[in-house]
Amino acid sequence: MDELDQLKKQWQKDQNFIRIDQPEIKTMLHKSSSSIVKWIFIISLIELSLGIILSFIVPTSDKEELFFLQFLDYASQLIFYIGIGYFIYHFFKSYASISNTNSTKILLNSILLSRKHVENYIKFNIYFMIFEFFMSFIQLLIDRLDLNNQWGYNFFMTIVFAVLFTLITLIFISIFKFYYKIVYSRLLKKLNKNYEELSKLEEEKI
């Protein structure tokens, strides 16, 4: 539980418990927000590092791919790492902005930007995963379908592969969403709470 939440709990239990003024509350919220964005930045770096390590550990297929599919694979990997780098840069930038400002207005804007970047980061990862599954589906069709067989057989196998890949994709998306919910949603929830508290304090000033 955050320090401010603990204080509120004590105030509810004991009306005579020591009170703190607005500047002190803002300092607590500032410190909490900075810590949250720092953890978002650290977690995204860990995810990127694990992804790079796995790319070297997981064996690649020896089968020849069509040039077009190879090009798409390399291009998608490049776009993925550029995209992840973009988000990590903005997470660090948000952390630096929150850590180095004394302005409540800048802090509020930084929190909003951080929230937006995290939401887009999650969407980017899920969309990329869907694309990767689609590319694997296309490659499997090319490897498995036999043009010498009747079109009915090929059509049947295409439907079977499509159903299987759709089910596997949905399962993995559900797992990823659950992971993001556990990790990022909790952090965003705290960040949103800080934003609401700071907004209330600003309104009280007016």
Side-chain angles (χ1 to χ4, degrees):
M1 187 181 292
D2 293 334
E3 190 178 356
L4 186 58
D5 289 332
Q6 290 176 343
L7 287 171
K8 285 182 177 180
K9 200 171 182 181
Q10 288 294 333
W11 292 336
Q12 289 173 355
K13 288 181 180 178
D14 184 5
Q15 294 297 322
N16 296 320
F17 190 77
I18 186 170
R19 298 272 170 172
I20 57 176
D21 55 19
Q22 279 196 9
E24 288 175 303
I25 293 175
K26 282 184 180 180
T27 301
M28 287 181 182
L29 292 169
H30 194 151
K31 184 180 176 183
S32 173
S33 300
S34 176
S35 176
I36 291 167
V37 177
K38 180 180 75 174
W39 273 109
I40 290 171
F41 170 66
I42 291 171
I43 292 169
S44 64
L45 275 180
I46 293 171
E47 289 173 350
L48 176 62
S49 301
L50 287 174
I52 292 173
I53 291 168
L54 284 173
S55 68
F56 286 105
I57 294 174
V58 176
T60 54
S61 174
D62 294 329
K63 291 183 180 180
E64 276 193 30
E65 291 183 349
L66 294 175
F67 173 77
F68 177 68
L69 291 178
Q70 284 184 333
F71 172 78
L72 276 182
D73 184 46
Y74 289 131
S76 65
Q77 292 298 323
L78 180 63
I79 291 170
F80 175 74
Y81 286 115
I82 290 173
I84 295 299
Y86 166 84
F87 286 112
I88 289 175
Y89 165 74
H90 279 285
F91 291 154
F92 176 76
K93 190 177 176 182
S94 295
Y95 168 64
S97 176
I98 290 173
S99 300
N100 298 323
T101 185
N102 293 317
S103 168
T104 303
K105 186 176 180 181
I106 293 175
L107 178 57
L108 287 169
N109 287 334
S110 296
I111 289 174
L112 281 177
L113 277 175
S114 299
R115 185 173 65 188
K116 180 182 175 183
H117 287 311
V118 171
E119 290 169 351
N120 289 335
Y121 173 75
I122 292 171
K123 289 177 183 176
F124 176 79
N125 279 288
I126 290 174
Y127 290 152
F128 181 80
M129 185 179 65
I130 293 171
F131 174 78
E132 285 293 293
F133 271 103
F134 176 74
M135 292 300 298
S136 298
F137 170 69
I138 296 298
Q139 184 62 49
L140 184 65
L141 281 182
I142 293 171
D143 292 341
R144 297 293 180 183
L145 293 187
D146 187 355
L147 296 178
N148 294 322
N149 285 323
Q150 295 181 350
W151 71 268
Y153 170 82
N154 287 330
F155 178 75
F156 173 74
M157 293 304 296
T158 301
I159 296 299
V160 170
F161 288 148
V163 170
L164 287 174
F165 264 83
T166 300
L167 289 174
I168 293 170
T169 303
L170 290 173
I171 290 168
F172 272 88
I173 288 173
S174 299
I175 292 170
F176 270 79
K177 282 185 175 180
F178 179 73
Y179 163 75
Y180 287 129
K181 185 177 181 181
I182 293 295
V183 178
Y184 289 100
S185 291
R186 289 180 65 186
L187 294 171
L188 283 180
K189 190 176 179 181
K190 291 181 180 179
L191 205 58
N192 289 339
K193 194 173 180 182
N194 288 355
Y195 181 86
E196 290 170 5
E197 293 284 351
L198 284 165
S199 297
K200 285 178 186 176
L201 290 174
E202 283 296 287
E203 288 173 5
E204 287 173 9
K205 261 174 59 177
I206 299 170

